[in-house]
Amino acid sequence: MTDDIYEPYERLVTVRYLGREVRVPQKNLLLRCFQFLEPMEIPYGDFCWNGDCHHCALTLMRDGVQLEALACQTAVREGDEIVEAGPEVRRALVGWSEG
Ligand code: FES
């Protein structure tokens, strides 16, 4: 399954966002995965998509290690757990995450 805005992917992977399990396209940046969840908010959010603004900063648990990451620079991996997200990410995902 592909869509022009996503890197080609064959399946969805399971990750957790602030405690909630979600399925997002493999081989894609975390910020693009957020767009998959909230396609009407992320593109209009205050995101530079190139590592400059840090509005997409996250705390991520990956393979038992806590990492600080930028969602626009970090490809998703099965089992990722986003344990903290900055205000712009939370704002953009609030409709989805409260749904
Ligand atoms: S969106 Fe600006 S650093 Fe990631």
Side-chain angles (χ1 to χ4, degrees), residues 43-72:
Y44 302 104
D46 189 9
F47 298 113
C48 69
W49 291 83
N50 63 18
D52 287 337
C53 72
H54 287 215
H55 292 172
C56 67
L58 305 169
T59 304
L60 181 66
M61 290 296 295
R62 176 176 280 181
D63 300 328
V65 177
Q66 183 170 308
L67 307 169
E68 301 301 317
L70 295 176
C72 71

Side-chain angles (χ1 to χ4, degrees), residues 2-51:
T2 60
D3 191 315
D4 285 349
I5 63 170
Y6 301 105
E7 293 298 323
Y9 62 96
E10 292 82 43
R11 65 185 183 90
L12 302 179
V13 294
T14 301
V15 302
R16 295 184 77 80
Y17 172 78
L18 304 183
R20 185 167 170 186
E21 189 171 291
V22 296
R23 307 259 302 150
V24 293
Q26 67 174 169
K27 302 178 183 175
N28 277 267
L29 296 170
L30 285 167
L31 192 55
R32 196 64 78 191
C33 293
F34 295 158
Q35 184 171 354
F36 182 81
L37 298 172
E38 196 56 90
M40 297 307 289
E41 289 292 334
I42 294 292
Y44 302 104
D46 189 9
F47 298 113
C48 69
W49 291 83
N50 63 18

